[in-house]
Amino acid sequence: MMTKNVMIVGVGGQGSLLASKLLGHLLLEQGYDVKVSEVHGMSQRGGSVVTYVRFGDAVYSPIIDRGEADFIVSFEKLEAARWMEYLKPGGRVIVNTQEIDPMPVITGAAQYPADLVEKMRALGAQVDDMDALSLAVQAGSPKAVNLVLMGRLSRYFEDIPEQAWQDAITACVPPKFLELNRKAFALGRAE
């Protein structure tokens, strides 16, 4: 199998690291060679966070270069737009439609860009946009956006059974949050 590349992008504190841990665990359990690399910006201050997950028969580097990502899973619209140059032609963007103002917008030095989803589609990306925040709240916590997005991603991994995703959730999520996260995953998968 050729190496597949998934970028998980978001803002610090949104749970992107748990999402990448879950995805890495799932793929290892499926027998793939997996490399995960985390790049933290000013993550503790709401800055950009990106995680690379690469998997296949033999993966030699954890880094995804421009034009190589099969999937970009984004916790926020502006972060999806920021990383678009990494998407390969025909690649897919799964994006939470939530808008989190970066510092220049907060300070009034800039405006949040309009029509980002439409602009991504105009670049040729297959964009699967969803209100993951509302689904996370429906599941019981706004912090469950990460599992909603993993649920949506699971729909594109047809050869991996849902039970394998459930097993990965059990392995990666603390028991007291398991039911909430399972519900968030199911909502994202079904939406």
Side-chain angles (χ1 to χ4, degrees):
M1 164 188 189
M2 288 181 44
T3 299
K4 295 283 189 184
N5 302 301
V6 180
M7 289 179 68
I8 300 172
V9 301
V11 173
Q14 286 190 293
S16 58
L17 300 184
L18 173 60
S20 61
K21 177 182 171 185
L22 189 152
L23 185 57
H25 180 90
L26 168 82
L27 296 167
L28 277 172
E29 291 296 313
Q30 294 297 303
Y32 294 107
D33 185 17
V34 180
K35 300 288 186 285
V36 177
S37 176
E38 301 162 357
V39 179
H40 305 265
M42 292 289 287
S43 57
Q44 290 80 16
R45 302 191 188 282
S48 194
V49 176
V50 60
T51 306
Y52 305 122
V53 180
R54 304 188 73 219
F55 66 101
D57 292 331
V59 180
Y60 300 103
S61 168
I63 304 301
I64 298 172
D65 288 325
R66 286 175 177 82
E68 289 187 348
D70 295 281
F71 292 92
I72 295 177
V73 179
S74 181
F75 286 57
E76 195 271 345
K77 287 193 297 191
L78 188 56
E79 288 302 315
R82 184 186 316 261
W83 295 98
M84 281 299 292
E85 65 187 316
Y86 283 80
L87 193 68
K88 73 184 335 179
R92 182 172 303 277
V93 179
I94 299 170
V95 60
N96 177 16
T97 55
Q98 182 178 6
E99 296 179 1
I100 298 175
D101 291 341
M103 196 52 68
V105 174
I106 292 170
T107 62
Q111 287 189 327
Y112 195 96
D115 307 319
L116 286 174
V117 170
E118 293 77 11
K119 289 174 182 171
M120 287 184 271
R121 286 191 176 115
L123 291 172
Q126 298 178 55
V127 181
D128 184 348
D129 57 316
M130 64 185 301
D131 184 353
L133 180 60
S134 290
L135 293 174
V137 169
Q138 186 180 332
S141 171
K143 293 185 177 184
V145 163
N146 53 1
L147 270 290
V148 171
L149 291 170
M150 287 296 99
R152 180 55 65 95
L153 179 65
S154 75
R155 291 170 49 165
Y156 299 104
F157 283 60
E158 293 111 10
D159 53 341
I160 299 179
E162 185 177 353
Q163 187 56 51
W165 289 88
Q166 295 295 339
D167 293 345
I169 293 169
T170 300
C172 297
V173 172
K176 67 181 180 180
F177 300 117
L178 206 48
E179 185 180 333
L180 164 78
N181 282 277
R182 284 192 193 287
K183 188 172 181 185
F185 178 86
L187 288 168
R189 187 172 170 92
E191 174 60 26

